[in-house]
Amino acid sequence: MQDFKNLAVWTKSHELVVEVYRSTTRVSDRSYPGLMSQMRRAASSIPTNIVEGCGHRSQSEFARFLQMAGASALELSYHLLLAHDLGAIGDIAYAKLDARTLQVRQMLGGLLRKVRGDLREPPAPRRRASSDGVPRTA
C-alpha cells in the first residue's frame, strides 16, 4: 500500500477534476442531457482509480487500476471534445482542460510503464565458461 497523495499524477488528476467541475457548473444540463455529469464522472474516475490501486498490495493490481484511470482519461478527452463541438464549453476552457487531460494521460502512461517494469523479473545472470571449463557468472 502506498499513499496516493504522494503521487504527482494523483495531484494533477485531482486538480483536473476540480477544474472540470468549475468549468461545467454554468452549463445547463437541459441543453446537454447527461453530458456534463458523464464528463464529471469520467474526470473523477481518474484519481479515484489511482487511489483504489494504491490500496492494493500487489503491483499487478496497481497497474490494473492505472489502466482503468487511463481509460477514464481517454473517455474524458472525448467528452471534452464533444462538449466543445456542441458549444457547451468555449475554446479557452476546452484548450485548458484538454491540455491538462493530456498531461495526466502522459503521466499515467509513465507510471504504468514503471510499475510494469518493476513487475518483470530481473534477467538471470549470464554464464560463460572460463579457460578451465568451470562456468562463471558474467
Side-chain angles (χ1 to χ4, degrees):
M1 282 178 133
Q2 56 184 309
D3 185 359
F4 63 89
K5 291 179 183 176
N6 292 333
L7 294 173
V9 69
W10 176 83
T11 301
K12 290 291 184 184
S13 63
H14 174 72
E15 291 169 357
L16 174 61
V17 174
V18 171
E19 193 61 38
V20 165
Y21 268 81
R22 287 182 179 152
S23 297
T24 59
T25 54
R26 292 188 181 100
V27 179
S28 168
D29 204 40
R30 285 187 203 151
S31 302
Y32 309 97
L35 179 58
M36 296 305 114
S37 63
Q38 189 63 29
M39 190 182 316
R40 290 172 183 162
R41 275 194 295 269
S44 63
S45 182
I46 302 166
T48 300
N49 276 301
I50 295 168
V51 170
E52 193 168 350
C54 286
H56 290 272
R57 291 193 187 273
S58 82
Q59 289 291 85
S60 61
E61 281 293 300
F62 184 39
R64 189 170 69 85
F65 281 94
L66 290 176
Q67 282 182 294
M68 287 189 276
S72 293
L74 281 170
E75 182 183 350
L76 176 59
S77 291
Y78 170 69
H79 289 306
L80 289 169
L81 177 63
L82 179 59
H84 176 257
D85 289 351
L86 291 172
I89 58 174
D91 294 341
I92 294 171
Y94 170 72
K96 185 177 181 181
L97 291 170
D98 188 52
R100 286 184 178 206
T101 304
L102 178 60
Q103 180 186 30
V104 167
R105 286 176 48 207
Q106 290 170 337
M107 292 173 78
L108 280 166
L111 180 56
L112 185 56
R113 282 188 298 279
K114 181 185 181 324
V115 169
R116 284 183 175 156
D118 290 349
L119 289 173
R120 292 189 185 101
E121 291 183 34
R126 290 187 348 236
R127 300 244 181 219
R128 64 176 192 189
S130 66
S131 59
D132 62 2
V134 178
R136 303 274 192 251
T137 302

